[in-house]
Amino acid sequence: MPKDGLAEDALTRIAAALERLAPPPPAEPDFTEASAFVWQAEDLRLLPVRDVTRQPLDLLIGIDRARDTLLENTRQFAKGLPANNALLWGARGMGKSSLVKAVHGALLEEGHALKLVEVLREDLPSIGRLLSLLDGAAERFVLFCDDLSFSHDDQHYKSLKAVLDGGVRGRPANVVFYATSNRRHLMPRDMIDNERSAGINPGEAVEEKVSLSDRFGLWLGFHPCDQDAYLAMVRGYCDAHDLEIGDEELRAEAIEWQATRGGRSGRVAWQFFTDLAGRRGVRL
């Protein structure tokens, strides 16, 4: 091959390598496609979700205070008023993620142009690129990260800090961040204790991670439900889906179901109702 051909081939390969290292900017998303999206970090795009799986707000029983607080905070945000980032923490299966989706659905019914964008925990390092896409858009966005937590050597939390409350750029005015977690401080208690008992400056190591949860303006706690609340959840599902069953029969079956699961929660109530609906031939 002539020398000019070799040089041209080398330049082509170099250009291809540079393009892989610095991909073209993501295409502008079309926010009219859906009311909810999932952030795809690998190709820097928003995937529309046209059918969000959620429960009506009035079927979420036993979390009245958290429900009312999050609904009002989100309504303020949807109206363009000041609003806080929110951390929904506590017992498993008590409706943390269900509440976020239900509040979003309720505000859509009120006529607000509010978009829900789900971000996976492992995609947090790319959240700056996501904010660049959302900044300046006419719509308002609730970024939602489900089951957020960090291990001892996890550095993902640093990507989130500036979004919540810091950095030169800060959070765009049309974005608020909601997260759910089983842990109030987003890291296991034994990790906190380990860092306090080791290292030259253990207090600084703890503060570095614990300060992340402090950047959420709202902390909404979710606690295990009692039997009455559990049975009320099951009855609410039956009434909403026109499943006819007597109170005594429902109570006996629901208690037997929760005994086999070793606990009560909104998730256990829904799982029991799903089984019951299937046995009774009721479509959901």
Side-chain angles (χ1 to χ4, degrees), residues 29-189:
D30 181 3
F31 294 122
T32 64
E33 288 188 274
S35 63
F37 298 83
V38 174
W39 173 239
Q40 301 285 300
E42 60 274 10
D43 51 6
L44 300 176
R45 71 187 183 99
L46 287 162
L47 181 67
V49 180
R50 294 177 176 84
D51 186 15
V52 178
T53 303
R54 57 177 151 224
Q55 297 289 347
L57 198 57
D58 58 2
L59 285 184
L60 301 182
I61 296 172
I63 54 172
D64 296 4
R65 181 180 176 278
R67 178 199 62 204
D68 295 345
T69 302
L70 191 68
L71 179 61
E72 184 56 32
N73 187 71
T74 314
R75 185 182 285 122
Q76 289 173 195
F77 174 70
K79 291 179 177 179
L81 298 171
N84 276 305
N85 300 308
L87 174 62
L88 289 71
W89 67 276
R92 301 188 312 273
M94 280 307 297
K96 298 184 291 294
S97 59
S98 295
L99 179 58
V100 174
K101 293 184 289 185
V103 163
H104 175 242
L107 292 177
L108 289 179
E109 292 180 359
E110 292 182 9
H112 297 287
L114 186 65
K115 306 295 182 180
L116 183 67
V117 179
E118 184 174 15
V119 181
L120 300 181
R121 189 196 70 85
E122 55 266 29
D123 291 336
L124 288 176
S126 68
I127 201 167
R129 301 295 296 272
L130 171 58
L131 294 180
S132 297
L133 290 177
L134 304 183
D135 193 8
E139 295 83 359
R140 302 183 74 76
F141 302 90
V142 174
L143 300 192
F144 171 47
C145 187
D146 193 21
D147 198 18
L148 181 64
S149 62
F150 302 100
S151 60
H152 180 273
D153 56 353
D154 195 335
Q155 299 298 308
H156 283 36
Y157 73 95
K158 293 184 177 179
S159 303
L160 191 55
K161 273 190 155 185
V163 177
L164 293 175
D165 193 34
V168 174
R169 184 179 181 184
R171 172 169 54 91
N174 64 334
V175 172
V176 72
F177 189 87
Y178 290 174
T180 71
S181 177
N182 295 332
R183 303 165 181 155
R184 183 172 183 176
H185 289 300
L186 303 177
M187 61 183 296
R189 172 56 58 183

Side-chain angles (χ1 to χ4, degrees), residues 194-262:
N194 286 345
E195 293 204 15
R196 284 200 175 107
S197 61
I200 298 174
N201 295 303
E204 291 181 5
V206 173
E207 287 300 318
E208 174 72 5
K209 289 191 173 76
V210 171
S211 66
L212 178 62
S213 59
D214 289 341
R215 296 177 185 233
F216 289 91
L218 289 180
W219 286 7
L220 302 177
F222 290 69
H223 308 286
C225 62
D226 59 22
Q227 185 165 284
D228 288 342
Y230 167 72
L231 293 173
M233 292 173 190
V234 174
R235 172 51 72 186
Y237 291 138
C238 291
D239 292 345
H241 293 277
D242 298 322
L243 192 157
E244 296 183 4
I245 183 173
D247 288 340
E248 290 304 317
E249 183 180 4
L250 181 64
R251 176 186 176 88
E253 290 195 23
I255 291 176
E256 181 182 1
W257 180 276
Q258 64 96 44
T260 65
R261 298 301 302 271

